[in-house]
Amino acid sequence: MKQKIYQIDAFASERFKGNPAAVCVMQSWLPKTTMQNIAQENNLAETAFTVLEHGKYTIRWFTPETEVDLCGHATLATAYVVFNYYKHPENTIQFYSPRSGELNVVKNANKLISLNFPADAPKEVPQHEEINQAIGKTPLKTLKGKTDYLLIYSSQEDIIGLNPNHFLLNQIDCRGVIVSAPGKTVDFVSRFFAPACGVPEDPVTGSAHTTMIPFWSKQLGKTNLSAKQLSKRGGDLQCEYLGERVKISGKAVPYLVGEIDI
């Protein structure tokens, strides 16, 4: 069996930036073990699989290690593929995730693709000494969302200078750890570490922004925010806090169109 596969650099305006994601648009679902094997073979942070069902694209995401509840950059990459290679006739795609519900995506005139995701407003929790030890620097405060910890620091330099111990991070019972601070040229900056999911540091993490947007919107007193993820590849995001939902916008660039044997 042959399956078309695409690799898209998400949250990027040029190749080799942002976060690469693989995308498979399928006629019907493959077994979960097969999708997991494909994701492991791709060895990217995420591989997205989608099937058009009843007028909506059901979507699932896999890291090299596991299926996850939500992924922003791979959803953006999938939307780019559907818009540009499958000639979707409208400017809105209705995605549906069995784990996260409705996820509508809109193509804008300025080449931005906007994701409408559930907000994940984090709650402040006591300092987590194991996380602090793994990250290597005590934050100003620690918060917890549904799946991730959010550590807040005072400056962009703090975020750039972190050098986590990934072995210790892998022992923490969570999907990942977000570190964030006010930015110099944007409203806030971040990095994201998820070794337990097979992703030591994710280049750009849309789902982590569902947690950061409610926090920084309240801190800064504004609903429209600019963000940058300070990984080696880097990524730029435009964010909007909508209350129970958030809007996360970015660009995407194609890198590869291929075919895999299954």
Side-chain angles (χ1 to χ4, degrees):
M1 173 183 170
K2 304 285 188 181
Q3 170 64 51
K4 209 71 170 286
I5 190 167
Y6 305 82
Q7 187 170 319
I8 308 296
D9 290 339
F11 296 114
S13 55
E14 58 181 297
R15 289 178 186 85
F16 313 120
K17 300 291 185 181
N19 201 352
V23 177
C24 292
V25 181
M26 307 181 298
Q27 296 295 315
S28 60
W29 290 105
L30 295 168
K32 181 177 179 178
T33 53
T34 302
M35 292 189 287
Q36 186 64 72
N37 286 336
I38 292 170
Q40 187 176 48
E41 187 79 7
N42 290 336
N43 199 31
L44 297 169
E46 303 281 352
T47 297
F49 300 88
T50 189
V51 174
L52 181 60
E53 299 177 311
H54 311 295
K56 297 181 181 181
Y57 282 91
T58 303
I59 188 167
R60 296 167 68 182
W61 312 273
F62 290 77
T63 76
E65 299 290 337
T66 189
E67 185 174 6
V68 297
D69 292 344
L70 186 65
C71 179
H73 85 278
T75 303
L76 191 152
T78 304
Y80 182 92
V81 169
V82 172
F83 280 131
N84 290 280
Y85 296 100
Y86 289 81
K87 306 304 179 185
H88 187 72
E90 301 173 352
N91 288 333
T92 299
I93 299 172
Q94 290 184 304
F95 285 109
Y96 173 76
S97 162
R99 297 190 176 196
S100 294
E102 302 287 340
L103 306 169
N104 289 346
V105 178
V106 176
K107 178 175 64 174
N108 302 292
N110 56 4
K111 295 186 178 180
L112 283 176
I113 296 175
S114 297
L115 314 175
N116 186 299
F117 278 10
D120 179 22
K123 296 181 180 180
E124 190 165 0
V125 296
Q127 292 281 357
H128 194 303
E129 293 307 319
E130 288 82 4
I131 292 179
N132 294 350
Q133 183 181 0
I135 292 294
K137 187 177 180 65
T138 301
L140 299 176
K141 61 176 64 179
T142 300
L143 302 98
K144 181 71 165 59
K146 293 178 182 177
T147 61
D148 304 325
Y149 282 93
L150 171 60
L151 277 55
I152 302 299
Y153 293 88
S154 61
S155 71
Q156 182 167 315
E157 287 77 12
D158 288 335
I159 304 302
I160 293 171
L162 294 175
N163 185 24
N165 183 319
H166 293 289
F167 175 79
L168 294 179
L169 270 183
N170 198 23
Q171 314 307 310
I172 308 300
D173 184 20
C174 64
R175 182 188 73 148
V177 175
I178 311 161
V179 295
S180 186
K184 288 184 174 180
T185 59
V186 294
D187 290 309
F188 65 92
V189 296
S190 67
R191 292 169 69 188
F192 181 70
F193 310 104
C197 295
V199 185
E201 179 168 1
D202 197 34
V204 194
T205 316
S207 59
H209 284 76
T210 67
T211 304
M212 288 186 282
I213 292 168
F215 173 82
W216 286 113
S217 177
K218 183 178 180 180
Q219 292 294 307
L220 301 176
K222 56 196 295 190
T223 55
N224 288 286
L225 303 148
S226 57
K228 181 179 287 290
Q229 196 151 329
L230 298 176
S231 63
K232 183 177 179 180
R233 292 173 64 101
D236 299 300
L237 310 91
Q238 295 298 317
C239 310
E240 184 177 357
Y241 185 42
L242 305 172
E244 294 185 358
R245 311 282 295 185
V246 296
K247 185 164 74 172
I248 305 168
S249 303
K251 296 181 179 180
V253 182
Y255 169 71
L256 178 150
V257 179
E259 194 175 68
I260 56 177
D261 288 312
I262 302 173

